[in-house]
Amino acid sequence: MSGGQYPMGEVPPGQQIGWQASSAVAGGPPSDSPPKFSGEQVPTAPPMDSMGDLPGYEGTNFDGGFQPPPPPYEPPPPDAGQGDQVDYTQNVLTDSEVKSCLNQFVSENCCYGKGPLAKMKIVNILPTSAFKYTLDTFTERRETKWKYEPSSGGPVPPSGLQPPGPWQVPVAPPKMFQSDTTRMEVPNTQLVKLCHDCQGHGDARCGDCDGRGYETCSSCSGTGTRVGDESCTWCDGTGSKKCTWCNSTGMKTCKTCNGKRYLRCYVELTVVWKKHDDTSVVENTTLPDKLVKSASGQVAFRDERPRVTPVAGFLDPQIGRAAEDLVRQHATKWPLERIIMQRQKVQIVPVSTVEYVLDGQEGAFHIYGDENKVHFPDYPSQCCGCCSVM
């Protein structure tokens, strides 16, 4: 801490050093009679009524709480030409490519037999496209709380300035769309005050031995003897034992200020950044949506700005409806968080429905994604249930 030290009793009565001076919050110099600490002292925060009225932080306490963000930002109207048509043509798989994908699928499942591969007849290959719309919303929330730490009494340079509000403190995220947390002191909130637990003494008279350093022996109740006038072995016949609470010194160091007599208090601002993401799938086959979400495809549209507007006029109108729904949800989903940036993306995931005949029975399976993954839950040659079916 900068500045000079404040020796015992030299803090002017009714004054605390920092942003505020008030006889109701600072307390005067230490009293002549130090308090007593019984047993093991647990550090405590200063009472809230001693912290004064800090402008803009009247409801802040030592437990903390999130501050409501400012009014939401109103997005501008969408740019002209947003969501223009994308030229996209899906290649139709050949029979040999389908068999190659099936062979890879079977080899990845240890209990699947390869017999059906030789006998299976591919009847039809129907290429379709699945659309995957993803919306990422990057937000921040802010929490304020009073903090305190032991201090030797050095003064806080008076600024005479009102502290900035919780959402007025400029704090930039280390990286966009990456969850992170940072903590900092709010400017112009610092103050130094006498420790409330030891009243500025730094230590206190032990309440267990009343400052003597010794306490009555519990075995002989202080008589020094036991049954039969035998000398008490617990206290060697003295009737008292060294106080274990104060290590026989008669005094205890204040755990709240660590013996430094003063506390430095300030408001701590915690900023939490978080990336929220949601994905909607538009797909017209029986392929489960969760598989489409895990697959890759061509990026057909990408947009990033403080507030995105739903995709309009895209290849499939269902994408526009899905985007509108997610954008609307994200606008109000986290009321205690402020939206910093949003980004949206549309991917076209290739899906092929393969119809086949095997031993006179008709069936179908799917090949999807740029990785040509196979979804064939009823593959005809499964000898046990230990395999993980894609």
Side-chain angles (χ1 to χ4, degrees):
M1 300 237 348
S2 61
Q5 300 299 305
Y6 283 73
M8 181 70 73
E10 291 191 9
V11 175
Q15 180 174 330
Q16 61 187 5
I17 312 156
W19 58 266
Q20 170 101 2
S22 168
S23 60
V25 296
S31 62
D32 294 334
S33 300
K36 292 182 181 180
F37 290 155
S38 297
E40 185 68 22
Q41 182 205 5
V42 178
T44 64
M48 283 307 305
D49 59 5
S50 73
M51 303 307 294
D53 295 324
L54 182 59
Y57 295 86
E58 291 83 1
T60 301
N61 55 36
F62 286 92
D63 296 324
F66 288 106
Q67 301 293 329
Y73 166 84
E74 291 296 332
D79 294 339
Q82 185 202 35
D84 289 339
Q85 295 290 331
V86 177
D87 293 330
Y88 175 75
T89 302
Q90 181 177 339
N91 295 325
V92 180
L93 296 175
T94 64
D95 288 8
S96 61
E97 289 174 331
V98 169
K99 289 294 184 72
S100 177
C101 293
L102 271 180
N103 186 67
Q104 179 66 28
F105 168 73
V106 171
S107 65
E108 292 173 354
N109 293 272
C110 61
C111 296
Y112 283 18
K114 292 189 176 182
L117 296 180
K119 298 186 295 180
M120 181 181 296
K121 180 180 179 181
I122 304 300
V123 176
N124 199 9
I125 302 173
L126 303 173
T128 59
S129 297
F131 296 93
K132 182 167 62 172
Y133 173 79
T134 302
L135 175 63
D136 295 333
T137 296
F138 188 54
T139 66
E140 68 171 324
R141 66 177 188 263
R142 297 195 172 195
E143 179 189 41
T144 56
K145 65 168 62 177
W146 275 105
K147 300 280 288 186
Y148 68 94
E149 60 188 23
S151 171
S152 298
V156 175
S159 66
L161 300 176
Q162 180 171 320
W167 289 94
Q168 295 174 332
V169 180
V171 188
K175 189 175 182 179
M176 297 298 291
F177 296 101
Q178 180 172 299
S179 298
D180 210 331
T181 300
T182 191
R183 292 176 176 84
M184 62 175 295
E185 291 185 18
V186 177
N188 307 323
T189 63
Q190 295 75 14
L191 61 90
V192 173
K193 64 195 304 292
L194 288 172
C195 177
H196 59 283
D197 272 340
C198 68
Q199 299 174 15
H201 286 271
D203 55 14
R205 187 158 46 96
C206 179
D208 292 273
C209 66
D210 205 24
R212 298 187 305 270
Y214 292 83
E215 55 186 341
T216 301
C217 177
S218 59
S219 180
C220 65
S221 300
T223 63
T225 60
R226 303 182 67 181
V227 178
D229 292 332
E230 294 181 0
S231 178
C232 178
T233 57
W234 283 85
C235 62
D236 294 327
T238 63
S240 60
K241 296 182 62 177
K242 290 184 176 181
C243 178
T244 57
W245 294 107
C246 66
N247 200 24
S248 73
T249 63
M251 301 293 288
K252 295 181 184 178
T253 300
C254 177
K255 293 294 184 64
T256 300
C257 67
N258 287 343
K260 294 185 175 181
R261 306 176 315 193
Y262 295 91
L263 296 176
R264 179 177 179 271
C265 304
Y266 58 91
V267 174
E268 181 184 72
L269 173 66
T270 300
V271 183
V272 180
W273 294 282
K274 189 170 183 180
K275 181 177 80 74
H276 305 277
D277 59 83
D278 280 299
T279 300
S280 288
V281 171
V282 174
E283 210 274 316
N284 297 319
T285 72
T286 58
L287 183 68
D289 286 354
K290 65 178 182 179
L291 299 182
V292 176
K293 289 181 179 180
S294 67
S296 62
Q298 175 186 345
V299 176
F301 177 80
R302 195 191 305 268
D303 184 29
E304 180 176 325
R305 62 185 71 198
R307 294 293 186 280
V308 299
T309 52
V311 177
F314 206 70
L315 290 172
D316 191 319
Q318 296 182 75
I319 286 293
R321 291 192 289 270
E324 185 177 354
D325 184 54
L326 285 186
V327 170
R328 183 175 60 251
Q329 290 180 31
H330 280 218
T332 58
K333 199 171 184 178
W334 306 282
L336 292 180
E337 302 175 23
R338 177 171 68 175
I339 297 177
I340 302 176
M341 191 70 67
Q342 290 183 312
R343 64 186 181 190
Q344 59 183 343
K345 179 174 64 176
V346 177
Q347 286 179 277
I348 304 176
V349 179
V351 177
S352 295
T353 301
V354 181
E355 299 174 347
Y356 69 91
V357 174
L358 178 65
D359 296 331
Q361 299 293 321
E362 297 181 351
F365 59 90
H366 297 96
I367 298 176
Y368 64 98
D370 289 343
E371 305 89 348
N372 283 336
K373 298 179 180 180
V374 175
H375 177 63
F376 201 164
D378 54 351
Y379 183 74
S381 180
Q382 303 179 33
C383 60
C384 71
C386 66
C387 297
S388 175
V389 179
M390 293 180 60

